[in-house]
Amino acid sequence: MSDQSAVKSSGLASPAESAAYLAEKLRFHTDAADLASDLYAQHSEIVALDTRSSEAYERGHIPGAISFPHRLMDEASTARLDRSKVYVCYCDGIGCNGSTWGSYKLAKLGFMVKELIGGLDFWQRDGHPIALGAEAGVLAGGGIECDC
């Protein structure tokens, strides 16, 4: 057994540095529990955007989410979006960067965005329902409590 800690081998941030970094990280991302909480509460300023293809959206999406494939996002196609809203972009999950592309494109165009950690995969793992088909649907019911 080595006397050297693998965890500490790359150095440690001070508590103040850690707090500053983690506060920044929270400004850019949200998780399924927080998004579900806002959707259940019908916070109209929060909009879930499914950045996958329309075919993937129809196979299953977050209820209430708008289908807006990131590949179609540009200045003209985003003109219909309300700039007073916060757009939470998601894709399949951590193996997909569609939500990153969507968030990046929207931010470059001046929209407020957050990226959903784990995408639709983590949404379903947390026990939240999905909607099928081309209609957005509505997230209804009491919600599921976060275990964290």
Side-chain angles (χ1 to χ4, degrees):
M1 186 181 303
S2 172
D3 289 341
Q4 285 284 36
S5 164
V7 170
K8 295 181 350 183
S9 68
S10 59
L12 293 172
S14 72
E17 290 171 317
S18 291
Y21 165 76
L22 295 169
E24 283 300 300
K25 186 175 177 180
L26 289 168
R27 288 179 49 218
F28 298 105
H29 298 95
T30 193
D31 67 6
D34 289 345
L35 177 59
S37 175
D38 281 359
L39 294 177
Y40 280 121
Q42 299 179 359
H43 286 286
S44 61
E45 74 276 14
I46 305 300
V47 179
L49 278 186
D50 189 316
T51 63
R52 304 170 302 150
S53 70
S54 56
E55 294 81 16
Y57 177 87
E58 289 180 18
R59 287 192 300 269
H61 58 272
I62 293 173
I66 296 169
S67 177
F68 198 166
H70 74 87
R71 296 183 193 286
L72 303 179
M73 292 179 182
D74 59 26
E75 194 167 339
S77 67
T78 60
R80 63 185 169 93
L81 296 179
D82 184 341
R83 291 185 180 275
S84 70
K85 308 277 185 185
V86 175
Y87 295 94
V88 178
C89 295
Y90 74 91
C91 55
D92 285 328
I94 60 173
C96 176
N97 68 2
S99 61
T100 305
W101 275 111
S103 297
Y104 169 71
K105 289 176 179 182
L106 290 176
K108 277 194 70 147
L109 292 167
F111 292 92
M112 293 179 290
V113 297
K114 283 201 176 204
E115 188 174 14
L116 181 63
I117 298 169
L120 190 60
D121 178 32
F122 282 22
W123 175 268
Q124 290 180 284
R125 285 185 195 202
D126 281 357
H128 302 295
I130 61 168
L132 303 174
E135 297 300 317
V138 176
L139 188 59
I144 298 171
E145 294 297 317
C146 177
D147 286 339
C148 61

